[in-house]
Amino acid sequence: MSGALALSDIERMAEAYAAACEDLRRDLDVLEGAIRQAKRAMVPNLLRRAAVAAGAKATLRKAVEENPSLFSKPRTRVAHGVQVGYRKAKGKLAIEDETLTLKLIRKHFADQADVLIETTEKPVKSALNQLPAADLKRLAVTVLEAGDEVVVKVLEGEVEKLVDAFLHEADALGPGG
């Protein structure tokens, strides 16, 4: 497309784009309805299968627990793609009072404090974004991509977000994608 266009030309193109998005939205609604219907139809079977799998797992776990001597060396075995046996539990650290623990690390392990204590310090971009450009310059902060940009956006709700995501995916695939 080359040459000067009238605003009415842009409006016609916007109308064509809106109609194409509406067609896409209708098809996506049909797809989502079919997916919901398929899920509803499959849920009872999936719940039964999940219950059978949970029962089989519990039976297997109990058998391993009741026969630890089968897992002395090696401690685990793989049968039919399922690993069974024993392993060293990782354990979890519980710190009830972080302030007290920090104080005790500094007292008893001062030489290791930099390794045992995490310190995070970084600029808060959301706060910096509120400062005027002159102040940002004084702080050596550069604002990138702040010029004008073309906007083509359907102004509606959640379904349009799905349409936009689908269109973005189609753009990534390229022409004829």
Side-chain angles (χ1 to χ4, degrees):
M1 216 159 274
S2 61
L5 295 174
L7 191 52
S8 61
D9 296 324
I10 299 294
E11 288 174 356
R12 276 193 302 279
M13 289 177 205
E15 181 182 22
Y17 175 62
C21 286
E22 182 59 32
D23 290 345
L24 176 58
R25 180 182 3 163
R26 274 196 302 275
D27 287 351
L28 285 170
D29 286 345
V30 169
L31 174 62
E32 285 180 342
I35 290 170
R36 280 192 302 275
Q37 188 175 2
K39 282 181 181 178
R40 276 194 301 274
M42 290 296 296
V43 165
N45 190 46
L46 292 173
L47 291 174
R48 279 191 299 278
R49 289 189 186 277
V52 170
K57 181 180 180 182
T59 300
L60 178 58
R61 180 179 191 82
K62 185 175 182 193
V64 171
E65 287 172 352
E66 291 175 353
N67 296 282
S69 62
L70 297 175
F71 301 97
S72 57
K73 280 200 176 183
R75 292 179 40 85
T76 61
R77 299 180 192 283
V78 176
H80 303 280
V82 178
Q83 185 178 33
V84 295
Y86 290 87
R87 68 173 173 218
K88 178 77 174 143
K90 292 179 184 176
K92 295 180 184 177
L93 296 179
I95 299 174
E96 291 180 29
D97 183 346
E98 285 189 4
T99 305
L100 175 61
T101 300
L102 290 169
K103 205 180 288 184
L104 292 171
I105 288 171
R106 289 187 179 99
K107 178 180 178 182
H108 298 293
F109 297 96
D111 58 327
Q112 297 177 52
D114 60 332
V115 176
L116 299 173
I117 299 173
E118 179 181 322
T119 305
T120 304
E121 195 172 296
K122 64 181 184 177
V124 179
K125 289 183 181 179
S126 60
L128 288 170
N129 206 24
Q130 305 305 312
L131 295 177
D135 290 345
L136 292 173
K137 188 174 181 178
R138 289 176 42 208
L139 299 174
V141 175
T142 305
V143 179
L144 303 174
E145 301 174 12
D148 289 342
E149 65 180 356
V150 174
V151 176
V152 176
K153 182 178 179 182
V154 177
L155 298 176
E156 292 196 31
E158 290 300 314
V159 174
E160 281 65 32
K161 290 179 186 176
L162 184 59
V163 168
D164 284 344
F166 194 82
L167 289 172
H168 179 72
E169 199 174 297
D171 281 346
L173 292 173

